């Protein structure tokens, strides 16, 4: 039994080492050529459930991929990754511009069981010559995930070979329009993000491609008019692969100026020379004009405003005081005349000798004309409710 257990352990270790060895993928690509690597969900699904096919259990689990350069948090600057949703395959794509070696870590996470698998992709970039003639076209009715599969790339390449009239055509780069400043399309049918496809060749451009440089084509594109493409230049088997002529660009690298040579690295030690002479002190400067502008002028303005305000507040109060005094005198004279007239009317009323009217006497009876004394006990009060608040005051 102990021997059987050791054999099981040995087989487990061997299978694990073979699994690790098989998970490392090595590729070699030249500089300036387009590279794409598709991450198939079926491959990682088999890693999650290695005995699923033996027992006839097949899963279609959602898988999320995460890629980064080994010992780094992100991918190299020339490499990109895309995956639209967990039920689609992932793609690593890009165009290296300098030789080197990159180790890419690929982590696949199963969202059903939360298992994780790690694969390594070793990319070796070797030097190669750059194709001198390049063309970049824009495909409006495509998205980056639909163009990266090799079958779709072959379709686009065949159409561009007919347009260029050459078989020696190489794919250089494929870029999402959103990475070039494009707008996010509406989530409706018939709206796509668009992709830029760049191809290159050692042969010169064809006549159809040279039509892009004609003044007539530039004028139509500037006026946003519909471009009339001749029949011999219309190579578009699949309508989704048709290019936009106004966004087509030609690159002739033979006419471009070469880059300046890189600066040579020195030893880092300054050459022997004369002693260092520090700069002399700056000449003296007269700050009095600045003092006048910043201090004296505002002070003079403040004094002028102060004097103007003092004149308004105190210099004109004499006329206002006289006018107020005159008004007060008129009011006092008017009041005094009212008092004199009142006294005169009282004097005239007292000298008439006419008895006052009976209605002005206290407790006057309008029916009999008699006047009752207010001290009599049988007098009737004006308000009956003054004696008994609960008595009925209505006449019977």
């Amino acid at each position: 039994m102990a021997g059987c257990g050791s054999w099981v352990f040995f087989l487990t270790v061997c299978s694990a080492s073979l699994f690790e060895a098989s998970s490392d993928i090595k590729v070699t690509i030249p500089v300036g050529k387009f590279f794409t690597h598709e991450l198939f969900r079926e491959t990682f699904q088999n890693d999650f459930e290695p005995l699923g096919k033996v027992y006839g259990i097949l899963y279609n689990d959602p898988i999320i991929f995460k890629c980064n350069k080994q010992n780094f948090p992100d991918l190299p600057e020339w490499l990109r990754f895309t995956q639209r949703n967990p039920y689609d395959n992932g793609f690593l794509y890009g165009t290296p511009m300098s030789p080197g070696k990159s180790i890419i870590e690929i982590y696949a996470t199963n969202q059903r069981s939360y298992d994780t698998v790690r694969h390594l992709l070793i990319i070796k970039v070797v030097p190669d010559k750059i194709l001198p003639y390049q063309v970049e076209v824009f495909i409006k009715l495509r998205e980056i995930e639909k163009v990266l599969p090799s079958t779709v790339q072959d379709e686009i390449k065949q159409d561009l070979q007919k347009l260029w009239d050459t078989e020696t055509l190489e794919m250089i780069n494929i870029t999402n329009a959103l990475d070039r400043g494009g707008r996010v399309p509406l989530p409706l049918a018939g709206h796509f993000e668009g992709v830029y496809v760049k191809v290159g060749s050692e042969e010169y451009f064809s006549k159809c491609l040279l039509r892009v440089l004609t003044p007539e084509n530039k004028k139509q594109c500037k006026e946003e008019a519909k471009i009339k493409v001749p029949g011999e230049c219309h190579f578009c088997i699949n309508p989704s692969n048709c290019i936009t002529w106004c966004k087509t660009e030609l690159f002739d690298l033979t006419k471009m100026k070469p880059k300046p040579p890189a600066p040579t690295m020195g030893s880092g030690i300054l050459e022997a020379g004369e002693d260092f002479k520090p700069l002399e002190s700056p000449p003296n400067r007269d700050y009095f004009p600045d003092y006048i502008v910043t201090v004296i002028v505002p002070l003079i303005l403040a004094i002028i405003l102060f004097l103007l305000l003092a004149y308004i507040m105190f210099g004109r109060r004499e006329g206002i005081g006289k006018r107020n005094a005159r008004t007060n005198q008129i009011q006092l004279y008017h009041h005094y005349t009212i008092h004199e007239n009142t006294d005169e009317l009282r004097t005239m009323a007292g000298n008439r000798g006419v008895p006052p009217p009976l209605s002005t006497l206290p407790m006057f009876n309008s029916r009999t004309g008699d006047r009752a004394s207010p001290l009599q006990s049988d007098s009737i009060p004006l308000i009956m409710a003054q004696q008994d608040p609960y008595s009925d005051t209505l006449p019977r």
Side-chain angles (χ1 to χ4, degrees):
M1 293 297 292
C4 182
S6 61
W7 274 104
V8 171
F9 176 76
F10 176 74
L11 292 175
T12 304
V13 172
C14 291
S15 62
S17 61
L18 289 174
F19 172 74
E20 289 292 336
S22 62
S23 63
D24 295 348
I25 305 173
K26 298 180 180 180
V27 293
T28 301
I29 55 177
V31 172
K33 301 298 188 299
F34 184 66
F35 163 76
T36 178
H37 178 71
E38 187 172 1
L39 306 179
F40 294 96
R41 294 176 57 255
E42 293 78 5
T43 303
F44 293 89
Q45 186 69 57
N46 295 333
D47 295 340
F48 292 130
E49 304 290 342
L51 301 179
K53 292 184 177 180
V54 177
Y55 294 101
I57 302 174
L58 300 178
Y59 294 98
N60 185 24
D61 300 332
I63 300 175
I64 294 180
F65 298 101
K66 182 181 179 182
C67 307
N68 64 279
K69 187 177 179 180
Q70 192 175 36
N71 300 325
F72 289 88
D74 205 353
L75 292 171
E77 59 180 359
W78 62 271
L79 192 61
R80 297 177 181 271
F81 171 76
T82 181
Q83 183 187 16
R84 183 67 66 174
N85 59 69
Y87 289 95
D88 292 341
N89 296 334
F91 290 93
L92 284 167
Y93 65 98
T95 304
M97 300 308 297
S98 59
K101 181 180 179 180
S102 299
I103 301 177
I104 307 301
E105 295 178 333
I106 303 173
Y107 293 93
T109 303
N110 189 328
Q111 288 190 324
R112 180 184 63 86
S113 61
Y114 294 99
D115 294 335
T116 303
V117 176
R118 174 177 174 268
H119 287 190
L120 290 181
L121 175 63
I122 302 174
I123 303 175
K124 183 179 180 181
V125 183
V126 296
D128 195 5
K129 61 179 181 179
I130 304 298
L131 298 176
Y133 305 105
Q134 300 178 5
V135 176
E136 185 180 63
V137 298
F138 177 70
I139 303 177
K140 183 179 180 180
L141 302 179
R142 282 291 189 179
E143 293 181 347
I144 189 67
E145 292 85 0
K146 305 300 181 182
V147 176
L148 292 178
S150 58
T151 55
V152 181
Q153 291 188 40
D154 293 339
E155 292 179 3
I156 298 174
K157 187 176 179 180
Q158 291 176 4
D159 293 343
L160 295 178
Q161 284 176 349
K162 296 177 182 178
L163 181 64
W164 200 317
D165 194 15
T166 181
E167 296 293 332
T168 60
L169 200 65
E170 296 291 340
M171 194 73 70
I172 295 179
N173 194 13
I174 298 178
T175 309
N176 190 352
L178 299 181
D179 299 334
R180 300 278 293 271
R183 299 181 63 181
V184 179
L186 296 174
L188 301 175
H191 293 76
F192 302 92
E193 298 174 354
V195 293
Y196 287 91
V197 179
K198 180 181 282 190
V199 294
S201 176
E202 294 184 355
E203 297 185 10
Y204 193 66
F205 306 113
S206 63
K207 294 181 178 179
C208 292
L209 291 176
L210 291 176
R211 288 177 57 87
V212 178
L213 304 178
T214 59
E216 181 182 358
N217 183 80
K218 293 181 179 180
K219 181 180 179 181
Q220 291 178 356
C221 293
K222 188 176 181 181
E223 296 176 354
E224 298 182 357
K226 187 176 181 181
I227 304 299
K228 296 181 181 179
V229 182
E232 64 272 10
C233 297
H234 186 74
F235 300 99
C236 187
I237 300 176
N238 188 352
S240 299
N241 297 335
C242 294
I243 66 175
T244 303
W245 282 91
C246 288
K247 292 186 178 181
T248 302
E249 296 185 18
L250 309 182
F251 301 93
D252 188 357
L253 302 184
T254 59
K255 298 181 180 180
M256 294 186 177
K257 296 180 180 179
K259 296 182 179 180
T264 57
M265 301 297 293
S267 61
I269 301 174
L270 295 176
E271 298 180 358
E274 300 179 356
D275 296 336
F276 175 73
K277 294 180 179 180
L279 298 176
E280 297 180 357
S281 60
N284 295 330
R285 181 180 174 184
D286 187 10
Y287 291 98
F288 184 73
D290 297 338
Y291 173 77
I292 292 175
V293 173
T294 56
V295 177
I296 301 300
V297 173
L299 183 60
I300 293 173
L301 293 176
I303 292 173
I304 293 173
L305 293 176
F306 175 75
L307 295 176
L308 181 61
L309 182 62
Y311 172 73
I312 293 173
M313 295 295 296
F314 302 102
R316 297 177 58 85
R317 291 186 63 86
E318 181 179 359
I320 297 174
K322 291 180 179 180
R323 184 168 56 191
N324 293 337
R326 184 178 179 183
T327 304
N328 293 335
Q329 290 178 0
I330 294 173
Q331 292 177 355
L332 290 175
Y333 177 76
H334 182 63
H335 187 67
Y336 176 73
T337 55
I338 291 174
H339 275 282
E340 286 186 350
N341 295 334
T342 303
D343 294 339
E344 185 178 358
L345 290 174
R346 288 177 179 176
T347 304
M348 292 174 62
N351 297 332
R352 286 188 300 178
V354 179
L358 297 177
S359 60
T360 59
L361 298 177
M363 302 304 293
F364 169 71
N365 193 342
S366 60
R367 295 178 181 177
T368 61
D370 297 334
R371 180 164 55 96
S373 175
L375 299 179
Q376 295 180 0
S377 60
D378 57 350
S379 61
I380 301 175
L382 296 177
I383 302 177
M384 300 295 296
Q386 291 180 358
Q387 292 183 352
D388 187 5
Y390 300 100
S391 62
D392 189 7
T393 58
L394 295 176
R396 301 298 181 188

